[in-house]
């Protein structure tokens, strides 16, 4: 290589400027430039990423805040609780029971659980409803998601356990005597059945839900038609209804109206008719267990139940609060002993008849007439049975409250007339139960699909209407709800016919203030 070649290779043109450098210097210089550019890019990239991350954090925080708000709204007053006036003047034993409630919902389920449990222990009390004799017995289903607090319903069982245990002890003694007599009979008699001891009846109050149909009916028959099914897992009864041997759903429905239940006993080839069964039931379970037990409202089982839905709250409860006080089990056991004394006094009296006053009858008929119009307008024929049986449920609750007042009085009476305070307490309770029943009805798998709040478009539209509105107002509402204008006009026409909406004048409407739902219940 000559001198010119070496010089030529040593000349580097960079940015139009000639530089004389070695190949090694050239590489170092280029590496330095590349490194600076890379560091600059990294710096810019880091700043952009930090900005992006900050924005993402802010966005996530807003989303979480919105989710928390939505969650709070979801669990806040989804369904109403009983108004405060219900608790202002209850019979003494119910006041004591609900005093242990830790929330409005907890008080409600303790009240309902107590009322329904005690309804099984008033078999000598009856009233005339729709020209038929009816007894106090009720069916209750408390539903909620797991861990919502429905388990406290089990405390209400302790109110009737002294009665149940007394019957069991009597049965045990009778069985011992029977076995002894049977052993003696076999040892001293010939093959003749003459004079053979008869097996004693199976005396008990609380009937296991997983019993066979024949067993349930036989226990009822042995107890003069009286019984209580108390299960904290509703699917126990559902599985019994689905089994071949345990399907007593038909008898269950008949018992609500005290209709005769017929069954046969294979052992003795005996045909038995159980007249005027007096069965009560307290169940609890998750919404899916309700659907398992009652897949459709068509078979009539749905309309016979009181439903109460608990709203689960994502809050931790202080499980050590009031631990120094008397525990709830002991407290309710004492209440049970207290009721046991009253029960013995009550059953020693002759038949007691219950009635409501003419003024109460007028108020009762007016309320349920308006309720039926509203619910028929919104839910159609399928819900009519529920409204009508809720009327009977209201009458029975008033009966139970009136009977429990007797505990506070030492004067026996063959006739009980409902006081205004107990009548209005019963009506206030049922006015809330109507909404709970509607919620469950709308969620049954065999019914139409509704929104997450368990409401149809028709209900949502009625809810959203203000006290006074015009066509422009309701068209904006239906646009937000995704309802067609023609459909809304059809709904509005039906609301007017049902008396829910009043046409005040040209393009002027208002909700009917005289409707029982106008001020008490938000649908």
């Amino acid at each position: 290589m000559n001198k010119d070649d070496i010089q030529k290779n040593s000349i580097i043109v960079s940015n139009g400027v000639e530089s004389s450098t070695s190949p090694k210097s050239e590489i170092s210089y280029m590496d330095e430039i590349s490194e600076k550019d890379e560091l600059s890019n990294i710096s810019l990239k880091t700043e952009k990423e930090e900005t992006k991350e900050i924005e993402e954090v802010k966005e996530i925080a807003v989303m979480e805040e919105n989710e928390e708000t939505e969650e709070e709204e979801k669990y806040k007053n989804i369904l109403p609780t009983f108004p405060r006036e219900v608790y202002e003047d209850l019979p003494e034993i119910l006041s004591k029971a609900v005093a242990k409630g830790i929330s409005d919902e907890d008080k409600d389920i303790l009240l309902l659980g107590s009322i329904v449990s005690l309804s099984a222990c008033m078999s000598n009390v009856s009233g005339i409803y729709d020209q038929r004799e009816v007894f106090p017995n009720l069916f209750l289903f408390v539903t909620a998601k797991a861990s919502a607090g429905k388990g406290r319903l089990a405390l209400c069982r302790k109110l009737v356990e002294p009665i149940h245990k007394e019957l069991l002890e009597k049965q045990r003694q009778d069985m011992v005597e029977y076995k002894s007599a049977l052993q003696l009979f076999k040892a001293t008699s010939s093959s003749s059945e003459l004079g053979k001891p008869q097996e004693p009846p199976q005396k008990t109050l609380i009937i296991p839900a997983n019993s066979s149909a024949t067993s349930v009916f036989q226990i009822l028959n042995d107890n003069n038609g009286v019984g209580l099914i108390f299960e904290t897992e509703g699917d126990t009864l559902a599985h019994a209804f689905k089994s071949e041997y345990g399907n007593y759903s038909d008898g269950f429905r008949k018992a609500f109206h005290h209709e005769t239940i017929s069954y046969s006993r294979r052992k003795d080839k005996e045909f038995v008719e159980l007249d005027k069964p007096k069965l009560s039931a307290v169940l609890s379970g998750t919404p899916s267990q309700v659907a398992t037990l009652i897949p459709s409202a068509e078979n009539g089982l749905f309309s016979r139940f009181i439903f109460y839905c608990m709203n689960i709250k994502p809050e931790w409860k202080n499980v050590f609060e009031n631990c120094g006080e008397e525990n709830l089990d002991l407290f309710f056991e004492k209440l049970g002993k207290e009721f046991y004394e009253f029960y013995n006094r009550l059953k020693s009296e002759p038949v007691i008849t219950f009635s409501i006053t003419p003024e109460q009858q007028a108020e009762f008929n007016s309320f349920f007439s308006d309720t039926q119009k509203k619910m028929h307008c919104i839910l159609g024929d399928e819900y009519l049975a529920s409204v009508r049986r809720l009327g009977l449920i209201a009458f029975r609750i008033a009966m139970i409250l009136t009977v429990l007042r007797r505990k506070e009085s030492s004067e026996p009476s063959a006739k009980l007339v409902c006081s205004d305070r107990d009548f209005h307490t019963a009506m206030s309770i049922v006015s809330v139960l109507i909404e709970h029943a509607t919620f469950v009805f709308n969620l049954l798998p065999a019914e139409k699909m509704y929104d997450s709040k368990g409401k149809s478009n028709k209900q949502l539209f009625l809810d959203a209407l203000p006290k006074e509105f015009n066509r422009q107002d309701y068209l904006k509402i239906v646009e937000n709800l995704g309802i067609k204008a023609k459909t809304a006009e059809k709904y509005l026409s039906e609301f007017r016919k049902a008396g829910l909406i009043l046409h005040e004048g040209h393009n002027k409407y208002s909700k009917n203030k005289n409707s029982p739902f106008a001020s008490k219940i938000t649908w």
Side-chain angles (χ1 to χ4, degrees), residues 90-101 110 331-332 335 338 407:
L90 287 170
E92 183 183 17
I93 191 167
L94 296 179
S95 291
K96 290 180 179 178
V98 301
K100 293 298 181 178
L110 289 175
F331 179 83
F332 276 84
L335 277 186
E338 190 177 313
K407 183 178 177 297

Side-chain angles (χ1 to χ4, degrees), residues 467-471 474 492-493 495-497 499-512:
K467 292 181 180 179
E468 296 181 352
F469 60 94
N470 56 31
R471 189 172 188 275
Y474 77 71
L492 196 64
S493 175
F495 293 156
R496 287 175 59 192
K497 289 178 182 178
L500 302 173
I501 297 295
L502 301 177
H503 190 192
E504 304 285 359
H506 176 66
N507 197 25
K508 188 177 180 182
Y509 302 90
S510 67
K511 284 187 173 179
N512 188 355

Side-chain angles (χ1 to χ4, degrees), residues 167 201-205 218-227:
L167 292 171
Q202 190 174 352
K203 291 288 185 180
T204 180
L205 176 65
Q218 186 58 46
I219 293 172
L220 278 174
N221 192 52
D222 287 348
N223 288 273
N224 300 316
V226 176

